[in-house]
Amino acid sequence: MARSTRESILTATAELMRHRGYGAVGMKDIAAASGAPIGSLYHHFRGGKVQIAREALVNAGAAYAMLIPTVVDGYTDLGAALEGVFEQAAQDMAATGFANMCPIASVAAEVADTVAELREVSAGIFTGWLDGGTAYFTARGLPAPTARQVTVALVAALEGAFVLARTMRDTEPLLAAGRVLGPQFRGVALTAAAPAPAP
Amino acid sequence: MARSTRESILTATAELMRHRGYGAVGMKDIAAASGAPIGSLYHHFRGGKVQIAREALVNAGAAYAMLIPTVVDGYTDLGAALEGVFEQAAQDMAATGFANMCPIASVAAEVADTVAELREVSAGIFTGWLDGGTAYFTARGLPAPTARQVTVALVAALEGAFVLARTMRDTEPLLAAGRVLGPQFRGVALTAAAPAPAP
DNA sequence: GTCTATATCCTGATAGAC
DNA sequence: GTCTATCAGGATATAGAC
């Protein structure tokens, strides 16, 4: 529920780019979806489309950073937790008609070679996720190297499975990824959850 | 090395879209990269840009379908093979300055909600990969359900790690994914390789 | 079949009245 | 701060000479 014009522009942009990526979202679309006329877009964001996308990505990245801890908090076994994350993702995606996908990866893959500034922002968000996830799993009792590897593999598999699932309109990739990643860590205990870090 | 005008248009398009996706590649770019003037593009592909992209994706999809079997053929242990695939991918990506990425996922993520025809083509290619990989691992002695799960998880993790690695310009995501996926299957034997199927 | 010139539309961005 | 009208450039696609 964004209140200010600025915020409504950013949330509308994140939502649009989650579905259509960067290039296919026009300033006119953002104006229509946010309720603000084109002139206001440039009034609030002097840097134009790139700046709007940049700030929308940063906001969305911060929101998504809390998703994995939120799910994993409910588990005391790492293997079960990993499977749970993928099952939750599969459920969400099916519930939204296979339209749900994080805007970061969607935009990142598209602009990695074309809009340097957005690639850099996306890279920073990914780095924050990986560092934050590592800190979280370390706080839950995993050795740091394991925590890092599990986090990186989890995020990579999730993002890839999202692409397959969305394209094929089938949750199989998410469920299969969870069933392959999870069992290896069954029996690895997670200690009591500390307050989740927000990187 | 494409010989005909038609072929050179398709290979140039695949190469361009591997780097820039769908929207950011213009007909003018395709004309320049292939050496064919704009008029020839429409002479050979009456359906315009969408048809060119469609055929370029199908060609590239068939080429990529053989990559995993090519690497895995060199192994007799499934765990080592999986790690080997990710190490090979990491090496390739670093060698190309983090520009290397399969054009299918790149385009698929971008057009899943905007260009129905290309989403359908991409879905067909993914399905072909998964079916082909399952058949390959089955031929190498794995039970069918395991073969399917391993294939789906492998492709999903690869594609996701590609996005992270390309954005962060770092091979860590590929290597971490390989080191998490591989160990679970160490000790699972692959029988003598049959001729790889080309789905 | 090859190639040039152009038509039509849509984009991001700006100027300036309210 | 809000909003409208418009600019300049680039997109896909076409027409038609060679």
Side-chain angles (χ1 to χ4, degrees):
Chain A
M1 300 300 179
R3 296 280 295 282
S4 74
T5 300
R6 230 189 111 88
E7 277 170 22
S8 69
I9 290 169
L10 290 178
T11 56
T13 301
E15 182 61 17
L16 285 168
M17 293 193 176
R18 195 162 68 89
H19 290 269
R20 290 192 243 157
Y22 177 73
V25 172
M27 295 296 274
K28 227 174 165 176
D29 301 320
I30 297 173
S34 69
I38 299 245
S40 291
L41 267 51
Y42 288 93
H43 174 78
H44 290 285
F45 303 90
R46 204 87 49 91
K49 186 178 172 183
V50 171
Q51 189 194 343
I52 296 179
R54 165 202 272 279
E55 298 197 23
L57 287 179
V58 170
N59 281 7
Y64 274 72
M66 297 181 290
L67 274 186
I68 289 177
T70 297
V71 176
V72 176
D73 270 349
Y75 293 85
T76 55
D77 179 89
L78 178 57
L82 293 178
E83 278 195 73
V85 169
F86 285 94
E87 277 159 18
Q88 178 70 48
Q91 211 171 312
D92 289 352
M93 184 165 258
T96 58
F98 299 98
N100 188 19
M101 191 178 167
C102 103
I104 318 297
S106 198
V107 171
E110 187 182 343
V111 302
D113 273 0
T114 50
V115 189
E117 189 180 339
L118 293 182
R119 183 200 68 78
E120 287 156 20
V121 172
S122 305
I125 293 168
F126 283 146
T127 299
W129 287 358
L130 300 183
D131 291 348
T134 303
Y136 171 79
F137 281 117
T138 305
R140 302 272 330 254
L142 297 188
T146 304
R148 177 88 189 171
Q149 257 183 25
V150 165
T151 303
V152 177
L154 170 58
V155 173
L158 254 184
E159 294 290 4
F162 270 138
V163 175
L164 293 191
R166 206 159 95 96
T167 302
M168 299 171 69
R169 309 223 164 154
D170 189 326
T171 57
E172 186 203 5
L174 284 161
L175 297 175
R179 283 193 216 106
V180 168
L181 272 183
Q184 178 175 6
F185 298 97
R186 202 161 287 160
V188 176
L190 295 171
T191 59
Chain B
M1 303 303 172
R3 296 279 296 282
S4 74
T5 300
R6 232 190 107 87
E7 277 170 21
S8 68
I9 290 169
L10 291 178
T11 55
T13 302
E15 182 60 16
L16 285 169
M17 293 194 175
R18 194 163 68 89
H19 291 269
R20 289 192 245 158
Y22 176 74
V25 172
M27 296 296 274
K28 228 174 165 177
D29 300 320
I30 298 174
S34 69
I38 298 241
S40 290
L41 267 50
Y42 288 92
H43 174 78
H44 290 287
F45 302 90
R46 205 81 54 92
K49 186 179 172 182
V50 171
Q51 190 194 341
I52 296 179
R54 167 201 271 279
E55 297 196 25
L57 286 179
V58 170
N59 282 8
Y64 274 71
M66 295 181 291
L67 274 187
I68 289 176
T70 297
V71 175
V72 177
D73 270 349
Y75 294 85
T76 55
D77 178 88
L78 178 56
L82 293 179
E83 278 196 74
V85 169
F86 284 94
E87 277 161 17
Q88 178 70 49
Q91 210 170 313
D92 289 352
M93 184 163 259
T96 57
F98 300 96
N100 189 19
M101 190 180 167
C102 103
I104 318 297
S106 198
V107 171
E110 188 181 343
V111 301
D113 273 359
T114 50
V115 190
E117 189 180 338
L118 293 182
R119 184 199 67 80
E120 287 157 19
V121 171
S122 305
I125 293 168
F126 284 146
T127 299
W129 287 358
L130 300 183
D131 292 348
T134 303
Y136 171 79
F137 281 117
T138 304
R140 301 267 334 249
L142 297 189
T146 305
R148 177 87 191 173
Q149 257 183 25
V150 165
T151 302
V152 177
L154 170 59
V155 172
L158 254 183
E159 295 290 5
F162 271 137
V163 175
L164 293 190
R166 206 160 95 96
T167 302
M168 300 172 68
R169 308 225 165 153
D170 189 325
T171 56
E172 187 204 4
L174 285 160
L175 297 175
R179 283 193 215 106
V180 169
L181 272 182
Q184 177 173 9
F185 299 98
R186 202 160 286 158
V188 176
L190 294 170
T191 60

